[in-house]
Amino acid sequence: MKNNQFAIRPTSFNDQIKELKEIGFLDKDNESESNPIRLWKSFLSKSFLEAKTSSIFEEKLKTYMATEDQNLNEYLDYATSLSVMAFYNVSLQLLKFNPNVDFNLSDPLSAMKKIQLMIADHNGDNFTIDELKSAWYWLLATHNKNGETFIDSLAAKGFFTSFYGKITQPLLFNGKTLPVFDPHKLIREVVYVESPQDSDHDGKRDLLKAEILRPQETEQGLKVPILYTASPYNQGTNDETGEKLTHNVNIPLKHKEPNNLQYKDIEYNETKMVPEPREINGQTKRAEEDFARESSYTLNNYFLARGFAVVYMAGIGTKDSDGLRTTGDPDETISTVSVIKWLTGQLPAFTNRTDNIEIKACWSNKKVAMTGRSYLGTLATAAATTGVPGLKTVISEAAISSWYDYYRDGGLVIAPDGFPGEDADVLAEETFSRRLQPGDFHNVKHLWNQQIKDIETGEDRNTGNYNRFWDARNYHKNFKNIKADVFMIHGLNDWNVKPRNVERLWNGIKNNGVTEKIILHQGQHIYINAFRSIDYNDIINLWLTHELLGVDNQAKEIIPNVIIQDNTKVETWNSYKDWSDNNNGQIKYNLSSDKLSAENSVNQSLSFNDKLAQKDFDFYIKHNDAWEKDLLSNDPKITNNQLIFKTAELKKDLIIDGKAEVNLKVSSNQNLGLLSFQLIDYGSQKRLTVSPILLAKNALAATYDWREDDLREFTYDKETPFKMITKGHLNLQNRTAPYKNDELDPNVFYDINVELQPTFYKILQGHQLGLIIYATDFGMTVRGNQDIDYTIKTADSSLIVPIHTK
């Protein structure tokens, strides 16, 4: 394996000693110890938590090898000095690496360097007493084979249980919080936040259920920061009724009547009347309701033992809350922000839904971070665009920044990967968990039925155009309001929430004066907090310790601006200054015959047709993976349905960094048409899996006897001859703007420009870069199997590829 740790904080020797004392490795029994062997034995005895007697401790020591010939017990009995080699032989075993498998006992330092583990400074072959203290400090901060720090692995064995109930503030090590709060004594309570909106039109402000978990120490006056996850799935989903609303995508593309719309014609501007607040009938510090188990996020679980509170809220239109689901519009943003305003003292919450007894978040330090993936991260982004005070940072994972970019592209209805036929109305129904309480649903059934109809009308699947409905769900418009620091995580192979969503956020807030960080991985629509090859939990711990506790731990300087997983090597992550920089260099490839070349193109007319044999069409409808493979391999069944262009074999590696553009002069033989594009890496090699492999079930514990997570990692898949890099789509009638319908006269050539989804991808020397031009995308577009001929003129067509040169 290869270890990638980006969150190790440079720490002076004096601070190392201070922290070792605070966590108990240096104490009155060994603090003045001058013999490295005896001090090392003391460190080991404090680490072997299972050993309650000296006999058991010695038995444990015998299971480790210190040299090629001596076990650890023998070495400690007979050695007069502590060799660097013996220390790291044992350290590697403590980190769960195996001799003769992961390293050689005759040369542990070579393995440390290869795995990229921390080696402490030392002079000579033996450690001095101070060098040993420093080496032990860095060992505690170093990741083991399971991808957790040694100190976290000790915490999982119970190292910090002696701190429970004795802590008056978070305890830090290497700039990060430690699990010194007992997660088995968490306070669990439910409150109902009054949101300044009336989304179900009943003349009263909506009440929103919030579930809170906070350390027991907050009952004694400790003020804690909050991790807040707004999850519309939190109170349950309606999969069956949502499935019934799924739209048919096996329909033909339709001609759109030309218009002369401008953005101002479809811009969303709406203010709603808000009922007066409820009259408060009293105050209390005690909640009236609790809960047994929340629908949790494992990253939040990790921080619950580290002195953070966690709040979950499902939002308007969910079980035990008021309102109607709206799928991403300003009403949903208001409901999301309302919880932050309660946590910071700006809005009231009540102990129940009827008595109007107010309860304050008196335990809150009024500093909030939002966490979560997909819809959860989307609402974090939405909240940040309001500039709400108290929201210090958002950790937006695989988040939508414009719902049009999720369900549409270039005037086309585009499905999220794996969910053909889903749309805003389907998602609204799936998350309308008020339906799960029949007594409540009975009262709003007629309102909900109308709401679904209104969403279906607004989303406009007939044209796929950008309109007022989508403008209301476009957070780009309010990027200028973002005052919180933003930490983004996204998959470069995420075709559910496509990379354009994160790239536009990344480049959209560069001038806001906030700090932004981004991690781009090679996966799909996934969490990455349980991977062994990157210290994600440590990174976020360092980040939140600074953001929410105000600790000057240099998090903003230590964490790279951009971390990107290498697509050509396992367990390799690299840091960069920027991603998708508009000032990146470019390569212009001209199109000719079947070639991409920097040379001047030949004036040719190349054509393809979109209609398949009916049996092939029927097969691909049910087997999208087979269609994708046949498309990339130019299978004879679809040879006439695409154009493929390839470069010569590359003489050196090429890194695509940002948004590639396709420029075409193209015609359709009908008054309608769509085009799809893919960039391909052609060349046989073993490539990373886009879904992580399970390495060990429940292998990562948040702390002692507390919730676990599965250990996962990307590994090599079988050798393949090609890999799709990125893609894009366009309705030829929306070549000017997604809200403007242009005329499309048959057999008339038009100039189009299509921006493909942004990426960061390395193509190796000897491979070829390919461009595929086709029409129907079986995984994303409508599938009409229409007899449409498309023709391009190569002399006026090109591919512009942004390249990483820094």
PDB file of all heavy atoms in Angstrom, residues 686-705:
ATOM      1  N   LYS A 686      -4.271  -1.714 -16.909  1.00  0.00           N
ATOM      2  CA  LYS A 686      -5.136  -1.941 -15.757  1.00  0.00           C
ATOM      3  C   LYS A 686      -5.557  -0.574 -15.222  1.00  0.00           C
ATOM      4  O   LYS A 686      -4.723   0.281 -14.967  1.00  0.00           O
ATOM      5  CB  LYS A 686      -4.410  -2.737 -14.681  1.00  0.00           C
ATOM      6  CG  LYS A 686      -4.229  -4.216 -15.025  1.00  0.00           C
ATOM      7  CD  LYS A 686      -3.648  -4.979 -13.854  1.00  0.00           C
ATOM      8  CE  LYS A 686      -3.579  -6.467 -14.168  1.00  0.00           C
ATOM      9  NZ  LYS A 686      -3.045  -7.247 -13.013  1.00  0.00           N
ATOM     10  N   ARG A 687      -6.861  -0.403 -15.058  1.00  0.00           N
ATOM     11  CA  ARG A 687      -7.377   0.875 -14.586  1.00  0.00           C
ATOM     12  C   ARG A 687      -8.050   0.712 -13.235  1.00  0.00           C
ATOM     13  O   ARG A 687      -8.458  -0.384 -12.858  1.00  0.00           O
ATOM     14  CB  ARG A 687      -8.345   1.460 -15.612  1.00  0.00           C
ATOM     15  CG  ARG A 687      -7.655   1.858 -16.922  1.00  0.00           C
ATOM     16  CD  ARG A 687      -8.645   2.405 -17.929  1.00  0.00           C
ATOM     17  NE  ARG A 687      -7.965   3.088 -19.031  1.00  0.00           N
ATOM     18  CZ  ARG A 687      -7.534   2.485 -20.133  1.00  0.00           C
ATOM     19  NH1 ARG A 687      -7.722   1.174 -20.288  1.00  0.00           N
ATOM     20  NH2 ARG A 687      -6.926   3.167 -21.076  1.00  0.00           N
ATOM     21  N   LEU A 688      -8.166   1.824 -12.527  1.00  0.00           N
ATOM     22  CA  LEU A 688      -8.776   1.772 -11.212  1.00  0.00           C
ATOM     23  C   LEU A 688     -10.266   1.479 -11.315  1.00  0.00           C
ATOM     24  O   LEU A 688     -10.948   1.921 -12.256  1.00  0.00           O
ATOM     25  CB  LEU A 688      -8.579   3.100 -10.485  1.00  0.00           C
ATOM     26  CG  LEU A 688      -7.148   3.540 -10.209  1.00  0.00           C
ATOM     27  CD1 LEU A 688      -7.152   4.865  -9.461  1.00  0.00           C
ATOM     28  CD2 LEU A 688      -6.399   2.488  -9.413  1.00  0.00           C
ATOM     29  N   THR A 689     -10.760   0.761 -10.339  1.00  0.00           N
ATOM     30  CA  THR A 689     -12.208   0.578 -10.241  1.00  0.00           C
ATOM     31  C   THR A 689     -12.837   1.927  -9.906  1.00  0.00           C
ATOM     32  O   THR A 689     -12.275   2.725  -9.160  1.00  0.00           O
ATOM     33  CB  THR A 689     -12.550  -0.413  -9.122  1.00  0.00           C
ATOM     34  OG1 THR A 689     -11.966   0.055  -7.899  1.00  0.00           O
ATOM     35  CG2 THR A 689     -12.021  -1.804  -9.427  1.00  0.00           C
ATOM     36  N   VAL A 690     -14.022   2.203 -10.462  1.00  0.00           N
ATOM     37  CA  VAL A 690     -14.712   3.455 -10.136  1.00  0.00           C
ATOM     38  C   VAL A 690     -15.578   3.292  -8.896  1.00  0.00           C
ATOM     39  O   VAL A 690     -16.073   4.281  -8.342  1.00  0.00           O
ATOM     40  CB  VAL A 690     -15.562   3.963 -11.320  1.00  0.00           C
ATOM     41  CG1 VAL A 690     -14.670   4.373 -12.468  1.00  0.00           C
ATOM     42  CG2 VAL A 690     -16.581   2.930 -11.759  1.00  0.00           C
ATOM     43  N   SER A 691     -15.771   2.060  -8.473  1.00  0.00           N
ATOM     44  CA  SER A 691     -16.411   1.792  -7.194  1.00  0.00           C
ATOM     45  C   SER A 691     -15.369   1.164  -6.278  1.00  0.00           C
ATOM     46  O   SER A 691     -14.629   0.276  -6.705  1.00  0.00           O
ATOM     47  CB  SER A 691     -17.595   0.830  -7.359  1.00  0.00           C
ATOM     48  OG  SER A 691     -18.617   1.429  -8.121  1.00  0.00           O
ATOM     49  N   PRO A 692     -15.282   1.615  -5.031  1.00  0.00           N
ATOM     50  CA  PRO A 692     -14.249   1.080  -4.135  1.00  0.00           C
ATOM     51  C   PRO A 692     -14.504  -0.371  -3.774  1.00  0.00           C
ATOM     52  O   PRO A 692     -15.642  -0.833  -3.752  1.00  0.00           O
ATOM     53  CB  PRO A 692     -14.353   1.980  -2.901  1.00  0.00           C
ATOM     54  CG  PRO A 692     -15.751   2.502  -2.938  1.00  0.00           C
ATOM     55  CD  PRO A 692     -16.108   2.641  -4.386  1.00  0.00           C
ATOM     56  N   ILE A 693     -13.434  -1.070  -3.494  1.00  0.00           N
ATOM     57  CA  ILE A 693     -13.494  -2.467  -3.075  1.00  0.00           C
ATOM     58  C   ILE A 693     -13.517  -2.529  -1.542  1.00  0.00           C
ATOM     59  O   ILE A 693     -12.791  -1.804  -0.870  1.00  0.00           O
ATOM     60  CB  ILE A 693     -12.270  -3.243  -3.606  1.00  0.00           C
ATOM     61  CG1 ILE A 693     -12.217  -3.171  -5.141  1.00  0.00           C
ATOM     62  CG2 ILE A 693     -12.301  -4.693  -3.140  1.00  0.00           C
ATOM     63  CD1 ILE A 693     -13.415  -3.736  -5.833  1.00  0.00           C
ATOM     64  N   LEU A 694     -14.354  -3.405  -1.001  1.00  0.00           N
ATOM     65  CA  LEU A 694     -14.394  -3.603   0.442  1.00  0.00           C
ATOM     66  C   LEU A 694     -13.150  -4.370   0.875  1.00  0.00           C
ATOM     67  O   LEU A 694     -12.910  -5.486   0.428  1.00  0.00           O
ATOM     68  CB  LEU A 694     -15.656  -4.376   0.836  1.00  0.00           C
ATOM     69  CG  LEU A 694     -15.795  -4.741   2.319  1.00  0.00           C
ATOM     70  CD1 LEU A 694     -15.976  -3.474   3.156  1.00  0.00           C
ATOM     71  CD2 LEU A 694     -16.970  -5.696   2.524  1.00  0.00           C
ATOM     72  N   LEU A 695     -12.362  -3.750   1.743  1.00  0.00           N
ATOM     73  CA  LEU A 695     -11.155  -4.400   2.254  1.00  0.00           C
ATOM     74  C   LEU A 695     -11.420  -5.128   3.569  1.00  0.00           C
ATOM     75  O   LEU A 695     -10.872  -6.200   3.809  1.00  0.00           O
ATOM     76  CB  LEU A 695     -10.041  -3.374   2.459  1.00  0.00           C
ATOM     77  CG  LEU A 695      -9.553  -2.627   1.214  1.00  0.00           C
ATOM     78  CD1 LEU A 695      -8.441  -1.663   1.577  1.00  0.00           C
ATOM     79  CD2 LEU A 695      -9.089  -3.594   0.133  1.00  0.00           C
ATOM     80  N   ALA A 696     -12.242  -4.526   4.426  1.00  0.00           N
ATOM     81  CA  ALA A 696     -12.525  -5.140   5.724  1.00  0.00           C
ATOM     82  C   ALA A 696     -13.818  -4.562   6.275  1.00  0.00           C
ATOM     83  O   ALA A 696     -13.986  -3.337   6.321  1.00  0.00           O
ATOM     84  CB  ALA A 696     -11.378  -4.909   6.698  1.00  0.00           C
ATOM     85  N   LYS A 697     -14.705  -5.441   6.696  1.00  0.00           N
ATOM     86  CA  LYS A 697     -15.994  -5.032   7.240  1.00  0.00           C
ATOM     87  C   LYS A 697     -15.817  -4.495   8.653  1.00  0.00           C
ATOM     88  O   LYS A 697     -15.146  -5.092   9.486  1.00  0.00           O
ATOM     89  CB  LYS A 697     -16.947  -6.235   7.242  1.00  0.00           C
ATOM     90  CG  LYS A 697     -18.384  -5.902   7.602  1.00  0.00           C
ATOM     91  CD  LYS A 697     -19.082  -5.190   6.475  1.00  0.00           C
ATOM     92  CE  LYS A 697     -20.554  -4.987   6.787  1.00  0.00           C
ATOM     93  NZ  LYS A 697     -21.234  -4.149   5.780  1.00  0.00           N
ATOM     94  N   ASN A 698     -16.447  -3.336   8.925  1.00  0.00           N
ATOM     95  CA  ASN A 698     -16.438  -2.724  10.261  1.00  0.00           C
ATOM     96  C   ASN A 698     -15.020  -2.589  10.830  1.00  0.00           C
ATOM     97  O   ASN A 698     -14.789  -2.798  12.020  1.00  0.00           O
ATOM     98  CB  ASN A 698     -17.302  -3.542  11.233  1.00  0.00           C
ATOM     99  CG  ASN A 698     -18.761  -3.557  10.823  1.00  0.00           C
ATOM    100  OD1 ASN A 698     -19.266  -2.607  10.243  1.00  0.00           O
ATOM    101  ND2 ASN A 698     -19.452  -4.648  11.127  1.00  0.00           N
ATOM    102  N   ALA A 699     -14.073  -2.235   9.978  1.00  0.00           N
ATOM    103  CA  ALA A 699     -12.668  -2.204  10.392  1.00  0.00           C
ATOM    104  C   ALA A 699     -12.259  -0.892  11.052  1.00  0.00           C
ATOM    105  O   ALA A 699     -11.227  -0.833  11.713  1.00  0.00           O
ATOM    106  CB  ALA A 699     -11.773  -2.457   9.180  1.00  0.00           C
ATOM    107  N   LEU A 700     -13.060   0.152  10.876  1.00  0.00           N
ATOM    108  CA  LEU A 700     -12.700   1.461  11.400  1.00  0.00           C
ATOM    109  C   LEU A 700     -13.693   1.883  12.465  1.00  0.00           C
ATOM    110  O   LEU A 700     -14.875   2.080  12.181  1.00  0.00           O
ATOM    111  CB  LEU A 700     -12.664   2.498  10.271  1.00  0.00           C
ATOM    112  CG  LEU A 700     -11.689   2.213   9.125  1.00  0.00           C
ATOM    113  CD1 LEU A 700     -11.852   3.248   8.035  1.00  0.00           C
ATOM    114  CD2 LEU A 700     -10.260   2.194   9.635  1.00  0.00           C
ATOM    115  N   ALA A 701     -13.229   2.027  13.696  1.00  0.00           N
ATOM    116  CA  ALA A 701     -14.087   2.445  14.799  1.00  0.00           C
ATOM    117  C   ALA A 701     -13.891   3.929  15.067  1.00  0.00           C
ATOM    118  O   ALA A 701     -12.758   4.425  15.079  1.00  0.00           O
ATOM    119  CB  ALA A 701     -13.775   1.638  16.054  1.00  0.00           C
ATOM    120  N   ALA A 702     -14.999   4.646  15.296  1.00  0.00           N
ATOM    121  CA  ALA A 702     -14.896   6.076  15.580  1.00  0.00           C
ATOM    122  C   ALA A 702     -14.207   6.329  16.909  1.00  0.00           C
ATOM    123  O   ALA A 702     -13.527   7.331  17.075  1.00  0.00           O
ATOM    124  CB  ALA A 702     -16.289   6.712  15.577  1.00  0.00           C
ATOM    125  N   THR A 703     -14.376   5.440  17.850  1.00  0.00           N
ATOM    126  CA  THR A 703     -13.637   5.418  19.109  1.00  0.00           C
ATOM    127  C   THR A 703     -13.996   4.124  19.822  1.00  0.00           C
ATOM    128  O   THR A 703     -14.567   3.218  19.207  1.00  0.00           O
ATOM    129  CB  THR A 703     -13.932   6.656  19.984  1.00  0.00           C
ATOM    130  OG1 THR A 703     -13.021   6.681  21.085  1.00  0.00           O
ATOM    131  CG2 THR A 703     -15.359   6.657  20.495  1.00  0.00           C
ATOM    132  N   TYR A 704     -13.711   4.012  21.120  1.00  0.00           N
ATOM    133  CA  TYR A 704     -13.921   2.760  21.856  1.00  0.00           C
ATOM    134  C   TYR A 704     -15.398   2.366  21.902  1.00  0.00           C
ATOM    135  O   TYR A 704     -16.257   3.162  22.277  1.00  0.00           O
ATOM    136  CB  TYR A 704     -13.381   2.916  23.272  1.00  0.00           C
ATOM    137  CG  TYR A 704     -13.623   1.712  24.158  1.00  0.00           C
ATOM    138  CD1 TYR A 704     -12.985   0.508  23.891  1.00  0.00           C
ATOM    139  CD2 TYR A 704     -14.493   1.786  25.237  1.00  0.00           C
ATOM    140  CE1 TYR A 704     -13.198  -0.601  24.687  1.00  0.00           C
ATOM    141  CE2 TYR A 704     -14.703   0.683  26.050  1.00  0.00           C
ATOM    142  CZ  TYR A 704     -14.058  -0.509  25.764  1.00  0.00           C
ATOM    143  OH  TYR A 704     -14.281  -1.611  26.548  1.00  0.00           O
ATOM    144  N   ASP A 705     -15.670   1.124  21.473  1.00  0.00           N
ATOM    145  CA  ASP A 705     -17.022   0.577  21.548  1.00  0.00           C
ATOM    146  C   ASP A 705     -18.047   1.519  20.939  1.00  0.00           C
ATOM    147  O   ASP A 705     -19.124   1.731  21.474  1.00  0.00           O
ATOM    148  CB  ASP A 705     -17.377   0.277  23.005  1.00  0.00           C
ATOM    149  CG  ASP A 705     -18.668  -0.535  23.127  1.00  0.00           C
ATOM    150  OD1 ASP A 705     -18.976  -1.292  22.187  1.00  0.00           O
ATOM    151  OD2 ASP A 705     -19.367  -0.392  24.150  1.00  0.00           O
TER     152      ASP A 705
END
